[in-house]
Amino acid sequence: MKHYSSQNFKRSKLSLLFAGLSLCASSSLFAQEEGQNLKTQDSITLEQELKGKKNGSDRNVMLNASSNSGPRDVNIGLPGSVGGITILENDLPVVYLFWPELPNKTWRQSVSLQKTGLLKMDELAGTMGDLGFAVNSYTQTGTEEFKIKGKLTGSHFGWFQGDLNVSGPISENGWSYTAGAFVNFDPSTYDLGYNNYADQTKIFRAGITKRFKEGKGEFNISYKYADSYTTTNYAVIEYGPDGEANEIDGFKIGRDSYIVRDGKVRFKDVDGGDYYWASMDGKDNTNTSHNVDIFGNYLMDSGWNFKYSTRLHLAKASLLNIIPISIFNADAADGYKIASTGETYTGAVGTQLGMNSPEISTTAIMGRFSINKKIEDHDVTLGILEQYYDIDNYLSNRALFYQTVENQPQRLISPSTDEYGFYGYNGGAEFHTGIENKLAVYASDDWQVSDRFKLNYGIFFRHHHIDGEYSLQQRGIDFTIQDAEKTPINQNWFNIAGKINASYNITKKFGVLANFQYTEENGRLERYSANLTPNTTTSKSPLGAAGIFYNGDWVSLVSQVTYLTKNNYLKRFNLVNPQNNSETQQTTTYYDIETLGWTTDVVLTPFKGFSFHGLLTVQDPKYKDFTFNAFGNKYDFSDKTVLEISKVLIELDPSYTYKDWKVWASFRYFSEQYANINNALTFAPRWENFGGVNYKLNDHLNFGLTLVNFLNQVGAKGTINGAELIEDPAPYYGRLLTSSYIRPFTAQLSVGFNF
């Protein structure tokens, strides 16, 4: 049952969107714009960049050193989103918000996508009003001839992925069909105690296409069903004086599991007050969704190309996460016992936080409508973007517990826990409910001012409405949403975004460029989850860049300096008292970030078949206005370097093609990263590396071998959980800590077919 007002507003928005869906279905529209296929190695050339291609360099975005489940984040000098890089399908986000439905729970790279590429930052700012890069993909539509394509992939760890798409004609008057199935059974690189797979995902698609005569356009209806659960693992490391992450006896980084071996956590539901057990591989961690897209285009007699893409997305989102907080030592007098046997336990004890959001109902209705036309030296686009989102009683139940520090740990009972080994029920539990609506208009123009001068500019206006409820009541074991006093939310914001990109050729091969973009945002419902009124001050993100480019016969180069700021970041910490590591506190704070960077990107093709892409980034991201209180102390981290971001980044991507063979490699260097916000703890520099061989047997069959971390680097990355407030690193040398990590050496073999 809804607990918020403005039902008339909600119904009117639903009517508007369904009217839009009906309009699109009855209008004969849409031809998908050309985009690059997501290539494994090739970077966009400077000529493509300066000609204003919509899809920018893919930057090996699907080569993810952490997992197979989604694209990697592309560094822009700011902290990455919890949900990772933005993912679009048919020009709309695959999920409205990454929490509680992560994008990789409903989208995977697949043969049922006919195009995939990386959308440049200015294009995302100009069409979505958002900051960052985005993966943009397009659904495979029906084909005029029968086609079947697929890919089978596996690894020496037992990973299996099957991917198949079939398409063909229905009738001679332009109707055709498409259908696809994607299944993923991935054990990752470690053995769980409770399931064979760390990622089990199934996605099924079906669609119908109508093409119109004389190339006027096409109309598509596409349905997608997704069912997915994924698990996140951590590593136990011994921390060294130079930021080394050393393996300990009995625990191999990336090969062992730090998830409690039965995969179960006991919670008290804030929606009703009942205790229950949640399983990492059960319904409490499984996301299911239904997705209907209607998209197409119609080329009008006036020359305007009318394009549309609409979506209805219904999901039941469940999340179960276990996050390491700290590790300490216990002796016999502390009274720790193994829960399953009652045996006394002494040694290292891990404190774990369990969070569960069970079956949260979400509805998203989206639509993008645009017209585009080439008018002399101008390429003009006008568009409307509508996004409606309804989340019904979002909640996050919380519980703390102790476990042994080993591969496949065992749960512990102590004098401070209940009989099952849990305590701290619903401290920091989250709750909100309501709707969001974003209605935006945008316009852009690619203007070829002269043979030497090109200008690309655009403007984006958005109205953002939030209507719902949250609770300021103190969280704890007695907190329930039925008994909690509700506080209404009714917010309206107007945001603006825009871009200006200019390039000027001083000579035929050499020139200068300058870019500026600006985005704004305020709050979302997600900010109202805790028992405090969030700061919804407008977050502004101006970005300016200037540089040079050169396009020679065998070298293309661009080098530019970039300045970027963003204010009003929200961060929720699970802090550990540096004076008493068994004492924890949850803290919410807001801060700003400023970053200055210099980037040089080069593509070399010195002889036939060989290509080399190199990227060097030097940056200095700093926290600004970053203060908060915890454990009776005031902390100020202003001017500290931002967590998890290296100041020097290098990418080296050589490849060589000879006849039907291609050999390639990709190396990424990350300089020292800070592992806590005080900059006292660091992780040593590291290399991520990939390589492979591709062979095309004929037009119908190809093979690929991909090696992940073929140099077999062992190391940790990310942050050190529970160490946010540490000032002196010396006491941490030799201590056991937890962190995320890069995957160990993995060999992956794929077979692709196309008939």
Side-chain angles (χ1 to χ4, degrees):
M1 179 178 179
K2 302 291 182 190
H3 301 286
Y4 55 91
S5 58
S6 300
Q7 292 296 318
N8 289 336
F9 172 86
K10 179 180 174 184
R11 284 193 293 269
S12 67
K13 289 297 180 183
L14 283 168
S15 300
L16 173 65
L17 267 294
F18 280 118
L21 291 171
S22 302
L23 171 65
C24 297
S26 60
S27 299
S28 330
L29 312 169
F30 200 69
Q32 293 173 341
E33 66 185 81
E34 289 194 26
Q36 294 173 307
N37 290 327
L38 190 69
K39 303 174 209 169
T40 308
Q41 299 305 312
D42 298 334
S43 173
I44 193 169
T45 66
L46 268 295
E47 181 182 7
Q48 291 173 315
E49 182 76 18
L50 297 173
K51 285 181 178 178
K53 287 285 187 181
K54 301 284 185 187
N55 288 336
S57 164
D58 62 62
R59 295 201 187 177
N60 301 329
V61 72
M62 295 307 294
L63 293 178
N64 190 330
S66 298
S67 73
N68 289 317
S69 65
R72 68 163 175 136
D73 272 333
V74 179
N75 187 283
I76 61 170
L78 296 176
S81 161
V82 174
I85 193 170
T86 299
I87 299 176
L88 308 177
E89 186 170 350
N90 304 327
D91 297 316
L92 294 171
V94 295
V95 295
Y96 176 83
L97 181 63
F98 61 81
W99 205 261
E101 186 183 12
L102 291 167
N104 67 344
K105 300 292 185 74
T106 188
W107 184 96
R108 299 293 175 94
Q109 174 77 341
S110 171
V111 298
S112 290
L113 299 171
Q114 65 182 16
K115 301 173 187 174
T116 310
L118 187 65
L119 202 65
K120 296 191 298 182
M121 289 181 65
D122 65 297
E123 289 297 330
L124 188 65
T127 57
M128 296 291 299
D130 294 335
L131 177 67
F133 290 92
V135 171
N136 196 13
S137 58
Y138 294 93
T139 306
Q140 175 62 57
T141 58
T143 55
E144 296 175 299
E145 297 179 354
F146 177 76
K147 292 184 178 181
I148 180 170
K149 57 181 178 178
K151 188 177 182 181
L152 301 176
T153 309
S155 77
H156 76 282
F157 286 107
W159 172 41
F160 171 77
Q161 185 180 100
D163 196 6
L164 179 69
N165 184 268
V166 178
S167 59
I170 296 176
S171 65
E172 295 182 357
N173 61 349
W175 288 96
S176 57
Y177 71 90
T178 181
F182 171 96
V183 294
N184 189 70
F185 298 93
D186 188 359
S188 193
T189 59
Y190 52 90
D191 291 328
L192 293 165
Y194 58 87
N195 196 293
N196 292 327
Y197 302 107
D199 178 352
Q200 188 167 315
T201 300
K202 300 176 283 292
I203 300 176
F204 303 100
R205 300 171 183 265
I208 295 175
T209 297
K210 166 65 176 178
R211 287 186 173 83
F212 302 101
K213 295 179 179 179
E214 300 176 352
K216 283 288 188 178
E218 64 181 47
F219 165 77
N220 300 278
I221 300 178
S222 176
Y223 169 75
K224 177 177 68 174
Y225 171 78
D227 179 299
S228 175
Y229 83 79
T230 60
T231 298
T232 299
N233 189 28
Y234 294 87
V236 179
I237 63 170
E238 182 183 82
Y239 185 70
D242 293 318
E244 306 100 336
N246 301 311
E247 287 191 335
I248 64 172
D249 292 339
F251 197 99
K252 296 181 179 180
I253 298 175
R255 297 300 307 273
D256 287 338
S257 168
Y258 194 56
I259 304 169
V260 62
R261 66 180 58 178
D262 65 1
K264 294 182 179 180
V265 184
R266 190 171 187 259
F267 295 98
K268 186 175 183 180
D269 193 358
V270 300
D271 188 6
D274 296 328
Y275 289 93
Y276 68 98
W277 287 89
S279 177
M280 291 290 287
D281 62 345
K283 64 181 180 61
D284 300 297
N285 194 32
T286 299
N287 193 100
T288 59
S289 62
H290 301 269
N291 196 93
V292 178
D293 282 10
I294 300 176
F295 57 98
N297 84 300
Y298 188 75
L299 185 60
M300 297 181 285
D301 292 340
S302 61
W304 287 94
N305 187 24
F306 181 46
K307 303 168 58 176
Y308 66 88
S309 181
T310 60
R311 172 169 302 144
L312 171 64
H313 183 82
L314 306 173
K316 289 283 189 180
S318 295
L319 283 172
L320 178 56
N321 294 293
I322 300 176
I323 301 174
I325 301 297
S326 66
I327 295 177
F328 61 93
N329 288 312
D331 56 31
D334 294 319
Y336 286 85
K337 299 181 182 296
I338 295 176
S340 60
T341 65
E343 177 185 357
T344 298
Y345 176 80
T346 61
V349 174
T351 306
Q352 305 289 100
L353 170 65
M355 304 188 301
N356 181 223
S357 298
E359 294 194 312
I360 308 300
S361 295
T362 64
T363 300
I365 305 174
M366 309 180 194
R368 182 189 295 278
F369 311 90
S370 67
I371 55 174
N372 169 265
K373 185 179 180 180
K374 180 80 171 175
I375 305 174
E376 296 181 346
D377 295 325
H378 297 266
D379 191 352
V380 179
T381 299
L382 306 172
I384 298 175
L385 174 65
E386 163 66 20
Q387 300 177 83
Y388 170 86
Y389 179 66
D390 181 348
I391 185 165
D392 187 8
N393 285 347
Y394 167 80
L395 56 90
S396 178
N397 301 314
R398 306 293 177 90
L400 291 160
F401 66 96
Y402 300 117
Q403 67 182 29
T404 60
V405 179
E406 60 179 333
N407 180 34
Q408 297 185 9
Q410 302 178 78
R411 190 165 49 254
L412 296 172
I413 296 174
S414 83
S416 62
T417 70
D418 63 13
E419 60 185 303
Y420 305 99
F422 297 90
Y423 69 101
Y425 289 103
N426 290 330
E430 296 181 347
F431 163 74
H432 66 258
T433 189
I435 65 166
E436 293 192 43
N437 196 84
K438 292 181 177 180
L439 178 62
V441 295
Y442 61 92
S444 66
D445 178 25
D446 286 331
W447 181 18
Q448 190 69 50
V449 183
S450 68
D451 291 341
R452 292 175 176 265
F453 184 38
K454 181 173 181 178
L455 197 61
N456 172 267
Y457 53 95
I459 193 73
F460 179 96
F461 297 100
R462 177 175 63 210
H463 172 254
H464 186 186
H465 175 74
I466 294 181
D467 184 7
E469 289 182 339
Y470 70 115
S471 176
L472 294 171
Q473 186 169 317
Q474 186 66 35
R475 306 302 200 246
I477 192 170
D478 297 323
F479 175 78
T480 64
I481 61 175
Q482 287 83 2
D483 299 331
E485 182 179 350
K486 311 295 193 310
T487 300
I489 310 166
N490 195 323
Q491 296 276 12
N492 290 277
W493 298 293
F494 289 91
N495 300 133
I496 187 172
K499 61 173 182 173
I500 301 176
N501 300 325
S503 64
Y504 183 79
N505 280 72
I506 298 174
T507 69
K508 184 177 181 180
K509 297 181 179 181
F510 174 77
V512 294
L513 54 86
N515 309 309
F516 177 78
Q517 70 174 59
Y518 176 81
T519 57
E520 290 181 351
E521 63 177 343
N522 291 88
R524 293 187 175 186
L525 274 173
E526 187 271 337
R527 286 203 169 195
Y528 289 85
S529 297
N531 61 321
L532 53 85
T533 301
N535 181 353
T536 57
T537 301
T538 302
S539 179
K540 303 175 182 179
S541 304
L543 182 155
I548 60 172
F549 65 88
Y550 177 79
N551 287 316
D553 296 333
W554 57 273
V555 57
S556 293
L557 177 145
V558 63
S559 183
Q560 67 178 14
V561 175
T562 301
Y563 176 76
L564 170 63
T565 66
K566 185 173 182 179
N567 66 300
N568 199 26
Y569 265 95
L570 166 66
K571 181 71 174 181
R572 296 188 179 111
F573 289 109
N574 295 302
L575 300 174
V576 175
N577 189 344
Q579 307 304 321
N580 179 5
N581 59 15
S582 65
E583 183 182 355
T584 62
Q585 177 180 323
Q586 292 175 331
T587 299
T588 299
T589 187
Y590 300 87
Y591 58 91
D592 305 339
I593 288 179
E594 176 184 85
T595 183
L596 178 67
W598 170 60
T599 298
T600 298
D601 192 302
V602 62
V603 177
L604 305 177
T605 54
F607 54 88
K608 183 179 179 181
F610 178 78
S611 176
F612 175 83
H613 167 244
L615 177 69
L616 169 66
T617 299
V618 180
Q619 58 190 1
D620 189 23
K622 296 288 188 181
Y623 289 120
K624 299 294 180 180
D625 297 323
F626 192 174
T627 62
F628 60 87
N629 295 315
F631 307 111
N633 298 311
K634 182 176 181 179
Y635 292 91
D636 186 348
F637 297 112
S638 302
D639 293 321
K640 297 290 186 180
T641 300
V642 177
L643 277 173
E644 302 183 59
I645 299 181
S646 298
K647 291 188 176 183
V648 178
L649 302 168
I650 301 173
E651 294 191 22
L652 307 173
D653 305 314
S655 67
Y656 180 70
T657 302
Y658 178 74
K659 295 184 177 179
D660 296 324
W661 291 87
K662 181 177 181 179
V663 182
W664 60 270
S666 181
F667 302 91
R668 304 177 194 150
Y669 172 77
F670 299 82
S671 67
E672 178 184 71
Q673 295 180 344
Y674 289 108
N676 75 331
I677 51 179
N678 196 42
N679 290 181
L681 302 177
T682 63
F683 280 130
R686 73 178 192 275
W687 283 92
E688 294 178 358
N689 52 89
F690 307 82
V693 179
N694 299 100
Y695 174 63
K696 180 181 177 182
L697 180 64
N698 51 44
D699 291 338
H700 305 294
L701 196 62
N702 62 82
F703 301 89
L705 172 66
T706 299
L707 303 178
V708 179
N709 194 6
F710 61 83
L711 297 178
N712 203 25
Q713 302 292 294
V714 177
K717 66 173 189 173
T719 60
I720 296 177
N721 296 321
E724 288 83 0
L725 305 181
I726 296 303
E727 296 180 356
D728 180 9
Y732 269 65
Y733 300 156
R735 281 186 55 176
L736 300 186
L737 304 174
T738 57
S739 73
S740 54
Y741 57 87
I742 60 176
R743 283 186 286 169
F745 170 74
T746 305
Q748 299 174 177
L749 183 66
S750 64
V751 179
F753 53 89
N754 189 355
F755 296 95

